[in-house]
Amino acid sequence: MTVRAPRSAHGATERAAASAPFGYHGRSLIVDLGSGRARPEPIPEDVLRAFIGGTGLGAWLLCRHCPPGADPLGPESPLILVTSPLVGSRLTTSSKFAVVAKSPLTGMIGDSLSSSFMATELKRCGFDALVITGRRPGPTLLRIDDGAVELLDAADLAGMTTGDTEAEVRRRLGRGYRVACIGPAGESGVRFASMANDGGRQAGRTGVGAVMGSKGLKAIAVRGSARVEVADPDALARIRADLSRRSLGHATEKYRTLGTMANVEVFSRLGALPTRNFTASTFEGAPSIGGERFRAEHRVRGAHCANCTIGCEHVMTTRDGGSGATGRMEYESAYALGSLMGVDDPNAVLRASVLCDELGMDTISAGATIAWAAEAADRGLLGGSGGPVPRFGDGPGLVEVLGAIAERRGMGDLLAEGSLRAARRIGGGSEAWAMHVKGLEMPGYEPRSLKTMALALAVSTRGACHNRSSAYEADFSARVDRMSADRERGAIVAEGEDHSAVMDSLVWCKFLRRAFDDFYEESAEALSRVTGWDVTAAELRTTGERISNLKKLFNIREGWSRGDDRLPRRILEEGLGDGPADGARLTGGELDMMIGAYYEARGWDADGRIPDAKLAELGLDGLGAAAVGG
C-alpha cells in the first residue's frame, strides 16, 4: 500500500492544507494493519493550537480513534506516535516523540516519551502523527518511506532482542532508516513491555510495547526527506543559541557528571529511597549502586540524545568478568532493580537493566513486580509454579526472573501481568504489598517522606508517575515541609501537572526546565517563532490545563472512579522506621484531604469529575468533548 505526501518543486513537503501553520504538516497518517490500507487525515489548526503535539495531541488522537471500552490489546485499540512543532527546529532537547495508547496495565490513558532521531525522521515522512490500528496475523515490519507505506513479513525477526532487530532491519532496508521495535517481551504480551528505538532508547512506561506486539507489529522503520519551515528562522536561531548556552549551566551540571544516578545516595540520605518493596526508605547498599561508584568503575562514555546539549546519559559496562553487558543506566533502573530488590551488586543491577532493554521491558514495572513476588515468596505464597523464585538480595536470580517474564515461562507468566493482576490472582492478602497506582507500578520516590509526591502519584492520570508533574521538586524545596500533609499540595500538584503537560506536548526534555528564566513566556516565544501564531504565556498555561483535563476525560470515559485515586495499602497503613524518615507516616485521611484540595484547585466536583462549566471554559465542550463522545 502506498500513501505519498505532496511534493513541492524544491523537494520539501508542502503543508497538507492551506490552513496548516508553520512547524506542522497538518495531518496524521492512519495505518490499518488488518485491512492493509493507509490514508492521511487532516488535523485542523484549532486542534493543533489547542493541544500542540506530543502527549497533548496524542491524547486528542486517542480520544478520537480509540472506541470506548476497547480492549487495550485488541485490534481496535490504536497505537499512536506523535511529534511536535519543535521537532526539527534544532532547539536543544526538542527531538522527542510521544507514544500514546490505552494502557494494558491500567485500562486508562498511557503515554511514554522517547528522545531520539526517530522523532525527526518520523516528522520528515510528512505527517505530525502516526496512528496504527488493526492486527496482522504474524510478525510484521511497517516501512514508511517519504509517505510510501509497506507492510513486510518479519517472521524471521520473531524472538530477536531489540538491538538485533534494529540492526537487522537497517541491514535489510538500507541506509537512512530509523527504527522502533519490540523485543521478546512485547511479542509475548508482557503488560509492561516497552518500545525501543534508535540505538536502545526506550518508550518504557504504561505497556506501549505490549500494544505494539498485540498488533503483530515487530518493528517500524521510517525514512523521509520532507521539511517543515518555521515562521521566523532568524529569531528562532537566537532563541536556540541562548537556550543552548543556558542548558550548560549549573542547573544541569549533575546530569552531565553523574547522570540521574546521582539521586541514589542523595535519596537514601533523605529517607526517600524505596527499599525492599517499600518496607524501608534508606538502603545500606546505596553507595555501591550510586552515581559515584558507577562513574568510577563502570562508565564507558557519556552520551547525548538527538539535538541535546545537556548529555545526561552515561553508558556503563559490567566489570565482573565473562561476557560484559553494556548499556545506559538511570536512577529509576538502579532503584527498581537495586534498592527495591535489596541488590547492592552494581554488576547485577547493570546486567538486569541492560537485559530489560534487550528484552523490551520497563525497568520500573519489572523491578516493582518482582519485588512484590519476592515478598510473596518470603510469605510462602509463591513457589512450585516452575522457573526461578525471586528473592531479595539475589542479583543473579533477578536476571533469571527477567528472562522468565519475557518468555512467560513458569512463574514469569504470572509476573508478566504486572503486580496488580498477579496479586489478585494469588490472593492471600498480597494486594497489600503490590506497589502500584491504577495498575502502574511505583517509581523511586517514597510517598511517606515526600507528601507532595504522594498526592501526585495518587491522582496522576497514567498511574504511579513521577514525570507527569515533577511534584518531588516541591518536596525538595523550601516551599513545603515534605514530612507533613496539607491542603496547599493540591494547587502545587495541579500546577505541576499543567506545566509538565506543556513540556511533554512541545516536547522539551524535563532536564531543561531549570534553564528557563520564565518557562511559559519563553516557551510561548519559541512556539510563536516556529508557527507564526501569537502565543502568550497565559495561553500556554491554559493549554496545559486543557490537556490535563482531556486526559482525565478519557479516563472517566473508560470507567475511572474516585476510588482509583489512591495509594497502596502499605503506604497508608505502615509507617517508616528507619533513618532520616523514621516515624514518617501518611494516613488515608491525610491523603483524602490532599486529594480533595487537588480536585478543588482543578475546579472539579468532590468526586473528581469535571463540571460542564469547566469543560466550556477550556473549550472541551466542543473540540475535546466531541472526541470523547460528549
Side-chain angles (χ1 to χ4, degrees):
M1 59 183 176
T2 300
V3 176
R4 291 200 176 276
R7 309 290 291 178
S8 73
H10 303 291
T13 297
E14 298 170 348
R15 294 197 296 280
S19 61
F22 288 98
Y24 291 99
H25 296 290
R27 63 184 191 168
S28 58
L29 175 64
I30 316 298
V31 177
D32 183 341
L33 298 174
S35 67
R37 292 193 293 268
R39 60 181 173 84
E41 181 176 88
I43 306 175
E45 182 171 356
D46 59 350
V47 171
L48 296 174
R49 187 155 184 172
F51 301 104
I52 305 176
T55 60
L57 182 57
W60 186 84
L61 289 166
L62 183 66
C63 290
R64 180 176 179 83
H65 291 281
C66 183
D71 178 353
L73 301 179
E76 71 279 9
S77 194
L79 177 70
I80 304 169
L81 284 66
V82 194
T83 64
S84 87
L86 300 193
V87 171
S89 69
R90 294 190 295 117
L91 287 164
T92 185
T93 80
S94 66
S95 291
K96 297 172 76 77
F97 69 102
V99 187
V100 183
K102 185 177 180 182
S103 169
L105 281 169
T106 69
M108 300 182 193
I109 191 167
D111 57 53
S112 195
L113 294 167
S114 187
S115 299
S116 74
F117 287 104
M118 180 75 184
T120 53
E121 205 64 35
L122 184 63
K123 189 167 182 179
R124 285 167 61 87
C125 288
F127 304 93
D128 299 308
L130 171 63
V131 180
I132 303 169
T133 63
R135 175 181 289 157
R136 300 296 288 179
T140 298
L141 166 62
L142 169 61
R143 176 167 70 174
I144 305 173
D145 191 348
D146 253 341
V149 178
E150 285 186 279
L151 297 175
L152 305 174
D153 181 83
D156 60 325
L157 303 181
M160 280 191 181
T161 65
T162 58
D164 287 347
T165 299
E166 181 176 345
E168 175 58 23
V169 170
R170 286 187 168 189
R171 185 201 65 78
R172 184 175 302 178
L173 298 185
R175 300 183 58 182
Y177 283 95
R178 299 290 176 175
V179 179
C181 65
I182 56 173
E187 293 178 62
S188 64
V190 174
R191 287 184 182 268
F192 44 86
S194 61
M195 175 195 291
N197 66 97
D198 202 20
R201 290 176 172 84
Q202 304 288 325
R205 303 229 73 194
T206 71
V208 294
V211 176
M212 186 169 171
S214 73
K215 298 188 172 304
L217 192 58
K218 176 64 173 175
I220 304 167
V222 297
R223 183 175 67 176
S225 60
R227 298 193 304 272
V228 174
E229 305 298 332
V230 300
D232 192 339
D234 292 336
L236 193 65
R238 291 191 293 271
I239 294 171
R240 184 188 306 124
D242 182 50
L243 195 55
S244 295
R245 175 185 57 79
R246 282 189 277 160
S247 74
L248 296 173
H250 177 72
T252 59
E253 182 178 357
K254 78 169 185 177
Y255 300 120
R256 290 192 299 277
T257 56
L258 296 179
T260 58
M261 296 289 290
N263 291 339
V264 174
E265 291 181 81
V266 173
F267 281 22
S268 186
R269 287 196 296 269
L270 293 171
L273 178 64
T275 299
R276 295 184 183 85
N277 203 32
F278 284 80
T279 60
S281 62
T282 61
F283 183 42
E284 66 279 3
S288 296
I289 60 169
E292 294 286 356
R293 175 76 174 269
F294 266 103
R295 184 171 186 263
E297 299 182 10
H298 299 273
R299 184 177 184 272
V300 178
R301 66 183 185 276
H304 289 253
C305 295
N307 292 316
C308 175
T309 49
I310 297 173
C312 72
E313 289 191 334
H314 294 261
V315 179
M316 311 286 184
T317 191
T318 53
R319 304 295 186 193
D320 55 349
S323 59
T326 299
R328 299 172 181 85
M329 271 300 298
E330 303 288 348
Y331 165 74
E332 290 294 344
S333 299
Y335 138 76
L337 304 170
S339 66
L340 197 66
M341 281 297 301
V343 174
D344 61 5
D345 177 0
N347 289 292
V349 172
L350 179 54
R351 284 189 182 278
S353 178
V354 171
L355 184 59
C356 281
D357 287 350
E358 291 176 344
L359 297 174
M361 290 192 293
D362 174 42
T363 57
I364 299 176
S365 283
T369 300
I370 297 171
W372 165 85
E375 184 164 351
D378 284 351
R379 294 170 180 255
L381 294 177
L382 281 182
S385 56
V389 177
R391 298 291 182 184
F392 289 116
D394 182 3
L398 170 63
V399 173
E400 286 188 60
V401 174
L402 290 170
I405 291 173
E407 297 173 6
R408 283 187 171 268
R409 169 170 39 86
M411 189 181 300
D413 186 51
L414 172 70
L415 303 187
E417 292 295 296
S419 59
L420 169 62
R421 288 171 177 80
R424 286 177 175 172
R425 185 178 299 179
I426 72 161
S430 64
E431 288 190 51
W433 62 85
M435 305 306 292
H436 69 88
V437 175
K438 301 179 178 74
L440 184 67
E441 283 73 23
M442 300 268 282
Y445 297 81
E446 172 51 67
R448 287 162 288 193
S449 61
L450 300 170
K451 297 298 195 298
T452 318
M453 194 67 210
L455 173 60
L457 292 170
V459 301
S460 173
T461 51
R462 78 167 186 169
C465 174
H466 61 294
N467 261 336
R468 295 299 179 264
S469 72
S470 300
Y472 54 84
E473 285 196 299
D475 285 320
F476 292 137
S477 74
R479 184 175 180 181
V480 299
D481 175 4
R482 65 187 178 93
M483 297 290 187
S484 301
D486 57 55
R487 291 183 58 81
E488 182 186 359
R489 311 306 168 99
I492 293 174
V493 169
E495 291 166 5
E497 287 178 335
D498 295 347
H499 180 276
S500 291
V502 173
M503 291 204 83
D504 296 340
S505 300
L506 279 171
V507 194
W508 296 118
C509 175
K510 291 293 196 325
F511 294 159
L512 191 66
R513 61 189 181 273
R514 293 183 179 274
F516 293 101
D517 294 326
D518 186 320
F519 169 74
Y520 285 107
E521 192 68 42
E522 293 174 52
S523 293
E525 174 72 6
L527 184 58
S528 296
R529 298 306 183 185
V530 168
T531 62
W533 295 329
D534 183 15
V535 183
T536 66
E539 179 182 341
L540 273 192
R541 287 181 182 274
T542 300
T543 300
E545 185 181 7
R546 180 183 301 113
I547 292 167
S548 295
N549 277 265
L550 182 61
K551 290 180 178 182
K552 182 62 175 290
L553 274 178
F554 181 86
N555 284 358
I556 291 171
R557 190 192 80 175
E558 297 306 311
W560 173 92
S561 68
R562 169 66 178 79
D564 291 311
D565 286 356
R566 60 189 176 192
L567 290 173
R569 282 171 51 191
R570 165 161 287 161
I571 299 301
L572 302 178
E573 295 177 2
E574 301 175 18
L576 292 172
D578 65 322
D582 187 12
R585 302 188 67 88
L586 177 64
T587 68
E590 289 173 324
L591 180 62
D592 285 342
M593 174 266 293
M594 292 193 295
I595 290 174
Y598 167 80
Y599 292 166
E600 184 177 315
R602 281 255 173 245
W604 299 345
D605 68 22
D607 292 323
R609 295 185 175 271
I610 310 173
D612 291 343
K614 173 58 70 172
L615 294 176
E617 175 189 328
L618 296 173
L620 292 175
D621 53 338
L623 183 67
V628 296

